[in-house]
């Protein structure tokens, strides 16, 4: 590769970083893509791995393989520890320094426990494949543990699952858990009845799926209740420990729910890498960027995706926040890369405009809600739409085919094939795919 060419470093190969990398394919630049994992992950289907519906290779692809034909690209699997914008250096966890001419930071987000980080051990969240393996082991092992116990209250606490946070991930997790209990595990246990498991979805505000219209929130709640999920809105979680969750109720009272298995789907915060840029951040720790995803005073540094608090320049002159979803990250990643190429030619792209294609959330088998701006629908048609959209956006034909076959199998048999856990321990991490 020609060492004279400008060097673009991209941190993170999620949705934002991957799209930026693609735009730079064949351009007169050297590109170095750094990610701490060796794969690109399709996060929207991560809950399917956590609930044993899909195996990891169906939703993750090796970065090196995906981009093997991009001649101007070098892929490094490494943790980025800090960014020195004054010296134009990316610092790796092992102390190495990588100089750049242009930098695109797309390191995504992490869980936020709102200052209660000790809750994380008892209520893990879902962001990475490692998180999904851990959750899958906990969920399936809880039924196993209950089967071993003779004491009824103890059994019940192992058969009570609490999902905290009524956004799309919480709704998907709760709905799927209820289906596992009622259908997948039917006839498999002798001492417990898995269908008597309780799945609670706890939400602090007055409705689930707050990003959707209120009627759709109500439809989603009704669909969840139909498949056996208990939805608790206006309940704030004030404590989580190994054996349960403490709630603050709307009237101010408290309630304790005994449960060994909790899932955190309530809060996200930007990657801690944002802090090392030493620029203004919003309350979620996201970097406040301008209309080209640049940080103040540095037109060579771009921050995109879940790490950025970005705005869309609307036709009427107003500015709308870009939502923290995959289309937002993809479009911003493409914009940053195009702006780098434009700047190299002494031009500038028009200010970033987010193209909103709508929102989708699935609730379970044959149940979903869709808001496509001009039309809203729910139920079976929304579920079919959700299914095709998610298969379509998966990376690679092989993955699409695999997911399609797995889902068709699950649809007709109610089975979930990825149920192998290595050790029957509740709080053990699982490293298997
Ligand atoms: C469970 C779940 C379900 C979701 N469902 C949907 C959905 O249905 N629809 C939708 O549109 N959006 C959904 N989202 C949101 C969507 O996935 C994100 O908005 C999107 O992934 C953001 O893209 P990104 O490029 O900013 O970050 P990410 O895709 O998170 O990528 C960040 C990358 O950076 C790497 N990285 C992080 N820190 C470092 C570091 N220090 N050094 C090196 N590499 C690093 C990570 O390994 C990762 O590959 C979901 C998210 C989750 C977690």
């Amino acid at each position: 590769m020609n060492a004279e060419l400008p060097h673009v470093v991209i941190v993170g190969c999620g949705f934002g970083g991957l799209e930026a990398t693609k735009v730079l394919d064949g351009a007169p630049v050297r590109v170095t893509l750094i990610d701490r994992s060796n794969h690109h992950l399709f996060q929207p289907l991560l809950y399917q791995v956590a609930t044993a519906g899909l195996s990891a290779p169906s939703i993750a692809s090796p970065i090196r393989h995906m981009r093997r034909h991009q001649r101007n690209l070098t892929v490094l699997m490494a943790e980025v520890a800090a960014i020195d914008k004054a010296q134009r250096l990316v610092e790796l966890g092992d102390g190495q320094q990588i100089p750049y001419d242009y930098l695109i930071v797309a390191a995504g987000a992490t869980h936020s426990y709102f200052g209660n980080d000790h809750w994380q051990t008892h209520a893990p969240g879902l962001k990475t494949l490692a998180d999904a393996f851990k959750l899958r082991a906990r969920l399936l092992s809880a039924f196993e543990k209950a089967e071993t116990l003779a004491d009824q209250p103890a059994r019940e606490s192992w058969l009570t699952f609490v999902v905290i946070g009524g956004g799309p991930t919480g709704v998907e997790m709760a709905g799927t858990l209820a289906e596992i209990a009622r259908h997948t595990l039917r006839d498999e246990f002798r001492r417990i009845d898995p269908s008597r498991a309780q799945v609670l979805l706890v939400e602090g505000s007055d409705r689930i799926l707050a990003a959707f219209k209120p009627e759709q929130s109500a439809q989603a709640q009704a669909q969840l209740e139909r498949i056996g999920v208990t939805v608790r809105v206006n309940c704030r979680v004030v404590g989580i420990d190994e054996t349960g969750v403490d709630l603050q109720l709307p009237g101010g009272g408290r309630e304790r729910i005994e449960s060994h298995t909790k899932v955190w789907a309530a809060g996200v915060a930007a990657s801690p890498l944002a802090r090392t840029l030493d620029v203004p951040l919003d309350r979620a720790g996201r970097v406040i960027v301008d209309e080209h995803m640049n940080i103040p005073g540095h037109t060579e540094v771009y921050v995109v995706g879940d790490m950025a608090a970005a705005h869309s320049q609307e036709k009427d002159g107003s500015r709308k926040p870009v939502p923290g979803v995959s289309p937002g990250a993809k479009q911003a990643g493409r914009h940053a890369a195009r702006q780098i190429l434009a700047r190299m030619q002494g031009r500038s792209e028009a200010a970033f405009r987010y193209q909103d294609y709508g929102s989708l959330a699935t609730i379970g088998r044959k149940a979903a809600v869709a808001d496509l701006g001009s039309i809203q629908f729910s139920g079976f048609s929304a579920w079919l739409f959700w299914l095709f959209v998610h298969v379509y956006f998966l990376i690679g034909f092989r993955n699409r085919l695999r997911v399609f076959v797995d889902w068709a199998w699950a649809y007709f048999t109610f089975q979930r094939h990825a149920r192998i856990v290595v050790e029957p321990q509740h709080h053990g991490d699982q490293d298997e795919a």
Side-chain angles (χ1 to χ4, degrees):
M1 230 181 288
N2 184 348
E4 304 288 299
L5 292 174
H7 186 205
V8 183
V9 173
I10 300 174
V11 178
C13 187
F15 286 106
L18 179 62
E19 288 302 305
T21 306
K22 287 185 192 167
V23 170
L24 298 175
D25 191 358
V29 289
R30 290 175 294 137
V31 185
T32 301
L33 174 59
I34 310 173
D35 199 297
R36 62 177 166 213
S37 63
N38 77 337
H39 53 266
H40 169 80
L41 176 65
F42 191 79
Q43 282 176 358
L45 289 182
L46 199 52
Y47 83 98
Q48 283 282 345
V49 174
T51 54
L54 295 173
S55 53
S58 301
I59 64 156
S61 297
I63 300 167
R64 207 170 279 295
H65 179 73
M66 281 164 60
R67 301 308 303 158
R68 65 193 178 283
H69 299 305
Q70 187 166 343
R71 306 308 307 171
N72 67 349
L73 174 68
T74 302
V75 177
L76 300 180
M77 182 178 160
E79 174 89 26
V80 172
I83 291 153
D84 181 341
K85 62 184 194 299
Q87 301 295 322
R88 296 194 180 184
L89 292 171
V90 166
E91 294 173 7
L92 303 186
D94 64 4
Q96 290 188 69
Q97 295 183 324
I98 309 221
Y100 61 81
D101 298 302
Y102 297 96
L103 174 68
I104 301 176
V105 193
T110 172
H111 311 294
S112 165
Y113 287 82
F114 309 119
N116 298 290
D117 289 350
H118 56 288
W119 291 355
Q120 185 162 11
T121 327
H122 311 297
L126 190 58
K127 270 274 161 212
T128 63
L129 277 177
D131 295 338
F133 298 150
K134 188 189 289 183
L135 267 177
R136 186 180 61 184
R138 286 192 182 195
L139 302 174
L140 295 174
S141 301
F143 289 98
E144 299 296 340
K145 180 73 184 176
E147 177 84 342
T148 67
L149 296 170
D151 178 57
Q152 191 56 24
R155 255 187 200 176
E156 272 169 22
S157 74
W158 283 97
L159 289 176
T160 301
F161 300 86
V162 182
V163 179
I164 303 151
T169 302
V171 167
E172 285 164 354
M173 281 298 300
T176 313
L177 260 169
E179 285 178 354
I180 290 177
R182 274 154 196 68
H183 299 293
T184 311
L185 302 180
R186 192 167 48 198
D187 299 335
E188 294 192 4
F189 289 82
R190 297 293 172 266
R191 302 174 68 182
I192 60 162
D193 176 2
S195 70
R196 295 196 52 203
Q198 279 209 62
V199 180
L200 280 88
L201 178 63
V202 177
E203 165 59 38
S205 73
D206 62 355
R207 62 186 175 102
I208 59 168
L209 296 181
F212 287 75
K213 300 208 160 46
E215 313 84 80
Q216 290 195 292
S217 295
Q219 283 162 354
Q221 180 164 340
Q223 294 182 63
L224 277 171
E225 286 167 350
R226 213 171 299 136
I227 56 175
V229 176
T230 305
V231 180
R232 303 283 302 267
V233 292
N234 289 316
C235 286
R236 232 163 44 81
V237 170
V238 289
I240 304 179
D241 55 41
E242 191 175 343
T243 59
V245 177
D246 297 306
L247 301 181
Q248 187 171 51
L249 305 177
R254 294 276 173 110
E255 181 184 337
R256 166 91 178 164
I257 296 169
E258 298 297 336
S259 161
H260 283 271
T261 315
K262 287 82 68 180
V263 181
W264 184 258
V268 290
S271 156
L273 211 48
R275 291 199 290 271
T276 74
L277 280 164
D278 196 20
V279 288
L281 308 177
D282 73 358
R283 277 178 50 201
R286 297 179 307 167
V287 176
I288 297 169
V289 292
D290 70 11
E291 73 277 19
H292 292 304
M293 309 296 145
N294 284 131
I295 61 171
H298 287 265
T299 52
E300 76 287 4
V301 180
Y302 298 77
V303 183
V304 302
D306 283 2
M307 249 187 101
H311 284 83
S312 166
Q313 188 69 50
E314 299 299 292
K315 283 191 186 128
D316 62 5
S318 63
R319 296 178 78 234
K320 265 179 37 186
V322 179
V325 290
S326 55
K330 282 175 156 184
Q331 293 175 32
R334 286 197 285 266
H335 182 91
R338 287 188 189 128
Q339 178 68 359
I340 288 173
L341 299 178
R343 284 228 167 95
M344 283 168 51
Q345 297 166 5
R347 304 185 287 110
S348 175
E349 290 281 303
F352 177 73
R353 175 168 303 153
Y354 174 61
Q355 185 71 44
D356 191 349
Y357 297 108
S359 308
L360 280 171
T362 180
I363 292 148
R365 190 183 154 85
K366 297 201 265 190
V369 287
D371 179 356
L372 306 186
S374 48
I375 52 164
Q376 288 83 37
F377 50 110
S378 66
F380 185 55
S381 55
W383 180 74
L384 268 186
F385 186 68
W386 173 90
L387 198 135
F388 281 105
V389 165
H390 283 73
V391 171
Y392 178 80
F393 281 112
L394 271 175
I395 299 275
F397 175 73
R398 212 164 140 243
N399 285 356
R400 286 186 202 126
L401 196 66
R402 189 158 31 189
V403 168
F404 208 81
V405 170
D406 285 346
W407 278 352
W409 174 256
Y411 182 81
F412 289 112
T413 65
F414 285 101
Q415 279 311 311
R416 306 184 76 78
H417 76 280
R419 278 173 50 191
I420 307 303
V421 295
V422 179
E423 289 174 52
Q425 58 187 18
H426 189 57
H427 288 162
D429 294 358
Q430 294 282 312
D431 295 323
E432 304 301 310

XYZ file of all heavy atoms in Angstrom, residues 160-226:
511
model
N -39.112 -17.444 38.213
C -39.563 -16.066 38.002
C -38.449 -15.302 37.284
O -37.305 -15.280 37.747
C -39.888 -15.386 39.350
O -40.901 -16.154 39.991
C -40.378 -13.966 39.153
N -38.789 -14.736 36.165
C -37.818 -14.027 35.335
C -38.231 -12.563 35.248
O -39.386 -12.263 34.927
C -37.776 -14.627 33.929
C -37.382 -16.084 33.932
C -38.340 -17.084 34.125
C -36.058 -16.462 33.774
C -37.984 -18.420 34.156
C -35.689 -17.797 33.799
C -36.652 -18.782 33.992
N -37.298 -11.682 35.560
C -37.636 -10.255 35.525
C -36.787 -9.562 34.450
O -35.554 -9.603 34.498
C -37.379 -9.580 36.892
C -37.792 -8.108 36.844
C -38.126 -10.302 37.992
N -37.456 -8.967 33.487
C -36.766 -8.208 32.446
C -36.981 -6.728 32.769
O -38.126 -6.282 32.909
C -37.324 -8.548 31.046
C -36.608 -7.727 29.982
C -37.200 -10.045 30.763
N -35.890 -5.999 32.912
C -35.989 -4.598 33.338
C -35.749 -3.686 32.139
O -34.678 -3.697 31.539
C -34.966 -4.319 34.459
C -35.212 -5.277 35.628
C -35.042 -2.857 34.909
C -33.971 -5.587 36.419
N -36.791 -2.912 31.802
C -36.677 -1.997 30.667
C -37.625 -2.405 29.553
O -37.495 -3.495 28.992
N -38.593 -1.539 29.239
C -39.630 -1.879 28.259
C -39.381 -1.315 26.872
O -40.327 -1.015 26.144
N -38.112 -1.180 26.483
C -37.793 -0.811 25.099
C -37.847 -2.057 24.214
O -38.242 -3.133 24.679
N -37.445 -1.926 22.939
C -37.539 -3.076 22.037
C -36.808 -4.326 22.546
O -37.337 -5.431 22.452
C -36.898 -2.569 20.743
C -37.086 -1.088 20.794
C -37.019 -0.707 22.246
N -35.624 -4.156 23.132
C -34.876 -5.340 23.585
C -35.589 -6.027 24.747
O -35.704 -7.261 24.781
C -33.442 -4.936 24.007
O -32.817 -4.314 22.891
C -32.626 -6.129 24.443
N -36.083 -5.243 25.702
C -36.804 -5.829 26.838
C -38.064 -6.555 26.392
O -38.373 -7.655 26.865
N -38.773 -5.946 25.439
C -40.012 -6.547 24.941
C -39.709 -7.876 24.226
O -40.366 -8.898 24.439
C -40.743 -5.546 24.000
C -41.841 -6.215 23.208
C -41.310 -4.396 24.822
N -38.673 -7.860 23.392
C -38.284 -9.082 22.671
C -37.884 -10.185 23.649
O -38.286 -11.347 23.512
C -37.067 -8.798 21.773
C -37.394 -8.026 20.527
C -36.167 -7.425 19.845
O -35.043 -7.498 20.399
O -36.332 -6.871 18.748
N -37.081 -9.806 24.643
C -36.604 -10.810 25.612
C -37.770 -11.398 26.393
O -37.881 -12.618 26.549
C -35.625 -10.161 26.607
C -34.232 -9.950 26.118
S -33.326 -11.424 25.662
C -33.313 -12.349 27.164
N -38.655 -10.535 26.892
C -39.765 -11.011 27.717
C -40.696 -11.913 26.897
O -41.102 -12.992 27.351
C -40.540 -9.815 28.287
N -41.006 -11.482 25.685
C -41.908 -12.262 24.835
C -41.317 -13.637 24.527
O -42.011 -14.663 24.609
N -40.052 -13.667 24.199
C -39.427 -14.941 23.835
C -39.314 -15.857 25.042
O -39.518 -17.077 24.940
C -38.031 -14.684 23.220
O -38.158 -13.647 22.268
C -37.487 -15.921 22.544
N -39.001 -15.265 26.201
C -38.910 -16.083 27.421
C -40.244 -16.754 27.742
O -40.288 -17.934 28.122
C -38.523 -15.179 28.585
C -37.075 -15.218 28.978
C -36.760 -14.103 29.947
C -36.781 -16.574 29.588
N -41.314 -15.997 27.568
C -42.639 -16.572 27.839
C -42.913 -17.733 26.889
O -43.472 -18.762 27.272
C -43.711 -15.487 27.691
N -42.492 -17.587 25.640
C -42.711 -18.677 24.674
C -41.885 -19.903 25.000
O -42.349 -21.037 24.843
C -42.356 -18.186 23.276
C -43.420 -17.279 22.723
C -43.051 -16.758 21.351
O -41.920 -17.026 20.897
O -43.879 -16.072 20.783
N -40.657 -19.668 25.455
C -39.813 -20.812 25.829
C -40.507 -21.592 26.948
O -40.610 -22.823 26.913
C -38.414 -20.322 26.285
C -37.636 -19.782 25.097
C -37.643 -21.445 26.978
C -36.284 -19.203 25.451
N -40.982 -20.841 27.952
C -41.613 -21.491 29.098
C -42.884 -22.253 28.688
O -43.117 -23.377 29.126
C -41.943 -20.449 30.165
N -43.675 -21.631 27.828
C -44.968 -22.245 27.511
C -44.911 -23.285 26.411
O -45.711 -24.218 26.388
C -45.983 -21.158 27.143
C -46.648 -20.617 28.390
C -47.162 -19.227 28.266
N -47.438 -18.648 29.580
C -46.527 -18.340 30.492
N -45.262 -18.588 30.268
N -46.873 -17.814 31.657
N -43.989 -23.133 25.491
C -43.986 -24.053 24.337
C -42.728 -24.904 24.242
O -42.800 -26.124 24.185
C -44.150 -23.250 23.037
C -45.440 -22.501 22.994
N -46.656 -23.126 22.919
C -45.706 -21.176 23.043
C -47.618 -22.229 22.913
N -47.067 -21.023 22.991
N -41.563 -24.240 24.207
C -40.333 -24.985 23.912
C -40.075 -26.087 24.936
O -39.677 -27.192 24.584
C -39.126 -24.007 23.887
O -39.474 -22.890 23.073
C -37.877 -24.679 23.368
N -40.282 -25.775 26.213
C -39.904 -26.722 27.266
C -41.047 -27.662 27.665
O -40.882 -28.477 28.575
C -39.404 -25.955 28.504
C -38.198 -25.029 28.255
C -37.785 -24.325 29.537
C -37.005 -25.823 27.705
N -42.152 -27.541 26.976
C -43.309 -28.367 27.329
C -42.942 -29.853 27.253
O -42.244 -30.284 26.362
C -44.460 -28.057 26.362
C -45.768 -28.646 26.846
C -46.951 -28.117 26.108
N -46.750 -28.151 24.655
C -47.478 -27.436 23.818
N -48.400 -26.626 24.255
N -47.269 -27.505 22.527
N -43.387 -30.619 28.201
C -43.185 -32.080 28.243
C -41.762 -32.500 28.597
O -41.459 -33.687 28.604
C -43.546 -32.760 26.898
C -44.995 -32.542 26.537
O -45.806 -32.322 27.468
O -45.312 -32.589 25.342
N -40.866 -31.546 28.843
C -39.480 -31.966 29.048
C -39.112 -32.148 30.522
O -38.087 -32.738 30.822
C -38.530 -30.946 28.408
C -38.667 -30.916 26.897
C -37.550 -30.154 26.225
O -36.613 -29.702 26.913
O -37.622 -30.009 24.986
N -39.891 -31.596 31.427
C -39.561 -31.683 32.851
C -40.574 -32.578 33.555
O -41.697 -32.757 33.070
C -39.549 -30.280 33.476
C -38.376 -29.440 33.020
C -38.411 -28.762 31.809
C -37.230 -29.329 33.800
C -37.338 -27.993 31.378
C -36.152 -28.574 33.385
C -36.204 -27.904 32.168
N -40.182 -33.153 34.674
C -41.078 -34.039 35.404
C -41.554 -33.443 36.726
O -42.646 -33.695 37.181
C -40.367 -35.383 35.690
C -40.010 -36.140 34.420
C -41.277 -36.612 33.686
N -40.957 -37.175 32.369
C -40.972 -36.475 31.233
N -41.319 -35.211 31.240
N -40.670 -37.050 30.090
N -40.689 -32.650 37.372
C -41.040 -32.138 38.706
C -41.606 -30.726 38.658
O -42.288 -30.297 39.566
C -39.807 -32.195 39.606
C -39.258 -33.615 39.703
C -37.969 -33.656 40.453
N -38.137 -33.336 41.858
C -37.151 -33.274 42.731
N -35.918 -33.523 42.349
N -37.372 -32.960 43.977
N -41.272 -29.983 37.632
C -41.829 -28.634 37.499
C -42.671 -28.550 36.230
O -42.508 -29.357 35.311
C -40.729 -27.544 37.420
C -39.805 -27.800 36.201
C -39.957 -27.441 38.707
C -38.989 -26.607 35.778
N -43.520 -27.549 36.223
C -44.282 -27.263 35.005
C -43.751 -25.931 34.464
O -44.093 -24.865 34.990
C -45.777 -27.158 35.372
C -46.608 -26.755 34.166
O -46.031 -26.606 33.066
O -47.827 -26.584 34.335
N -42.890 -25.974 33.440
C -42.263 -24.731 32.964
C -43.285 -23.673 32.559
O -43.018 -22.473 32.657
C -41.452 -25.169 31.738
C -41.295 -26.623 31.858
C -42.464 -27.138 32.651
N -44.476 -24.119 32.142
C -45.454 -23.128 31.688
C -45.975 -22.279 32.843
O -46.640 -21.267 32.635
C -46.616 -23.807 30.961
O -47.386 -24.516 31.893
N -45.660 -22.687 34.076
C -46.070 -21.869 35.221
C -45.027 -20.806 35.566
O -45.186 -20.047 36.530
C -46.349 -22.767 36.429
C -47.541 -23.698 36.172
C -48.065 -24.294 37.434
N -48.348 -23.267 38.430
C -48.395 -23.505 39.731
N -48.180 -24.719 40.189
N -48.654 -22.541 40.581
N -43.957 -20.761 34.802
C -42.928 -19.736 35.038
C -43.554 -18.353 34.860
O -44.447 -18.166 34.032
C -41.783 -19.902 34.043
N -43.078 -17.418 35.652
C -43.586 -16.036 35.549
C -42.558 -15.182 34.836
O -41.380 -15.186 35.209
C -43.733 -15.455 36.936
C -44.999 -15.867 37.619
C -45.369 -14.736 38.568
O -45.617 -13.610 38.132
N -45.358 -15.029 39.847
N -43.000 -14.437 33.855
C -42.095 -13.497 33.186
C -42.644 -12.096 33.418
O -43.785 -11.800 33.046
C -41.994 -13.788 31.677
C -41.041 -12.806 31.008
C -41.553 -15.229 31.427
N -41.854 -11.270 34.074
C -42.288 -9.897 34.358
C -41.465 -8.922 33.528
O -40.227 -9.057 33.455
C -42.081 -9.552 35.825
C -43.128 -10.071 36.791
C -42.762 -11.467 37.250
C -43.203 -9.152 37.970
N -42.132 -7.967 32.946
C -41.435 -6.894 32.237
C -41.684 -5.612 33.023
O -42.824 -5.167 33.159
C -41.980 -6.768 30.804
C -41.384 -5.643 29.958
C -39.889 -5.842 29.741
C -42.078 -5.573 28.590
N -40.613 -5.035 33.537
C -40.751 -3.869 34.410
C -40.290 -2.614 33.674
O -39.187 -2.573 33.125
C -39.891 -4.060 35.687
C -39.957 -2.824 36.565
C -40.331 -5.292 36.444
N -41.144 -1.610 33.667
C -40.821 -0.359 32.959
C -41.077 0.826 33.895
O -42.110 0.887 34.560
C -41.680 -0.289 31.680
C -41.762 1.065 31.006
C -40.403 1.628 30.567
O -39.554 0.846 30.113
O -40.222 2.850 30.700
N -40.129 1.756 33.932
C -40.244 2.894 34.841
C -41.260 3.937 34.388
O -41.908 4.590 35.207
N -41.443 4.106 33.075
C -42.382 5.132 32.599
C -43.780 4.522 32.479
O -43.994 3.372 32.849
C -41.907 5.695 31.255
O -42.122 4.736 30.247
N -44.705 5.307 31.894
C -46.095 4.826 31.924
C -46.466 3.907 30.767
O -47.601 3.462 30.666
C -47.069 6.019 32.002
C -46.944 6.921 30.789
O -46.038 6.665 29.959
O -47.731 7.870 30.663
N -45.504 3.624 29.861
C -45.823 2.656 28.800
C -44.552 2.032 28.241
O -43.463 2.633 28.317
C -46.631 3.305 27.676
C -45.920 4.428 26.932
C -46.873 5.085 25.949
N -46.291 6.226 25.286
C -45.819 6.198 24.037
N -45.835 5.086 23.334
N -45.328 7.294 23.499
N -44.717 0.841 27.691
C -43.572 0.188 27.045
C -43.423 0.751 25.628
O -44.316 1.425 25.124
C -43.737 -1.354 27.019
C -45.023 -1.755 26.275
C -43.721 -1.910 28.430
C -45.106 -3.243 25.959
N -42.317 0.481 24.984
C -42.023 0.952 23.622
C -42.339 2.441 23.459
O -43.136 2.848 22.599
C -42.802 0.122 22.582
C -42.448 -1.368 22.498
C -43.277 -2.069 21.419
C -40.969 -1.605 22.240
N -41.684 3.248 24.272
C -41.981 4.684 24.305
C -41.700 5.375 22.979
O -42.255 6.442 22.707
C -41.167 5.340 25.413
N -40.844 4.777 22.129
C -40.538 5.423 20.846
C -41.672 5.247 19.844
O -41.675 5.872 18.792
C -39.242 4.842 20.276
N -42.634 4.385 20.170
C -43.766 4.151 19.266
C -44.952 5.007 19.702
O -44.945 5.608 20.772
C -44.160 2.667 19.299
C -43.186 1.775 18.582
C -41.959 1.460 19.165
C -43.477 1.239 17.338
C -41.049 0.643 18.516
C -42.575 0.419 16.678
C -41.355 0.123 17.266
N -46.004 5.009 18.860
C -47.212 5.756 19.213
C -47.906 5.066 20.394
O -47.814 3.841 20.525
C -48.159 5.805 18.012
C -47.513 6.482 16.804
C -48.521 7.137 15.914
C -47.908 8.182 15.014
N -46.668 7.813 14.334
N -48.638 5.842 21.243
C -49.262 5.231 22.424
C -50.175 4.046 22.089
O -50.191 3.044 22.802
C -50.074 6.387 23.023
C -49.364 7.613 22.575
C -48.776 7.308 21.234
N -50.915 4.102 20.958
C -51.789 2.972 20.607
C -50.952 1.725 20.367
O -51.364 0.601 20.690
C -52.595 3.234 19.316
C -53.278 4.574 19.203
C -52.320 5.642 18.675
O -52.078 5.727 17.455
O -51.829 6.417 19.527
N -49.768 1.918 19.778
C -48.940 0.740 19.495
C -48.329 0.169 20.773
O -48.177 -1.046 20.899
C -47.857 1.100 18.489
C -48.464 1.353 17.119
C -47.403 1.348 16.057
O -46.566 2.241 16.030
N -47.418 0.348 15.203
N -48.013 1.064 21.722
C -47.535 0.573 23.018
C -48.610 -0.296 23.648
O -48.323 -1.370 24.204
C -47.235 1.740 23.957
O -46.189 2.511 23.470
N -49.856 0.193 23.567
C -50.961 -0.558 24.178
C -51.149 -1.903 23.468
O -51.365 -2.934 24.113
C -52.248 0.273 24.095
N -51.035 -1.895 22.129
C -51.166 -3.157 21.387
C -50.049 -4.128 21.774
O -50.275 -5.327 21.968
C -51.089 -2.901 19.879
C -52.371 -2.330 19.299
C -52.139 -1.685 17.939
O -51.016 -1.563 17.466
N -53.224 -1.253 17.308
N -48.837 -3.591 21.902
C -47.701 -4.454 22.262
C -47.920 -5.047 23.650
O -47.676 -6.242 23.872
C -46.399 -3.644 22.225
N -48.402 -4.215 24.567
C -48.648 -4.720 25.933
C -49.707 -5.834 25.907
O -49.550 -6.869 26.554
C -49.091 -3.576 26.850
C -49.355 -4.071 28.261
C -49.409 -2.974 29.300
O -48.914 -1.883 29.086
N -49.999 -3.277 30.444
N -50.765 -5.605 25.117
C -51.828 -6.620 25.039
C -51.284 -7.918 24.438
O -51.600 -9.025 24.905
C -52.992 -6.094 24.198
N -50.430 -7.785 23.418
C -49.869 -8.991 22.782
C -48.961 -9.736 23.761
O -48.957 -10.956 23.819
C -49.104 -8.610 21.510
C -50.009 -8.057 20.406
C -49.232 -7.722 19.120
O -48.655 -8.590 18.491
N -49.205 -6.470 18.735
N -48.207 -8.970 24.542
C -47.331 -9.607 25.540
C -48.161 -10.344 26.588
O -47.846 -11.481 26.974
C -46.472 -8.553 26.242
C -45.194 -8.115 25.539
C -44.583 -6.924 26.254
C -44.180 -9.255 25.462
N -49.211 -9.688 27.048
C -50.037 -10.293 28.103
C -50.715 -11.562 27.591
O -50.847 -12.533 28.318
C -51.037 -9.271 28.634
C -50.310 -8.248 29.504
C -51.109 -6.997 29.856
O -52.194 -6.784 29.284
O -50.612 -6.223 30.690
N -51.056 -11.532 26.308
C -51.699 -12.713 25.721
C -50.761 -13.921 25.764
O -51.192 -15.054 25.918
C -52.087 -12.413 24.270
C -53.343 -13.113 23.840
C -53.810 -12.622 22.482
N -54.115 -11.213 22.453
C -53.756 -10.364 21.478
N -53.075 -10.778 20.439
N -54.087 -9.097 21.537
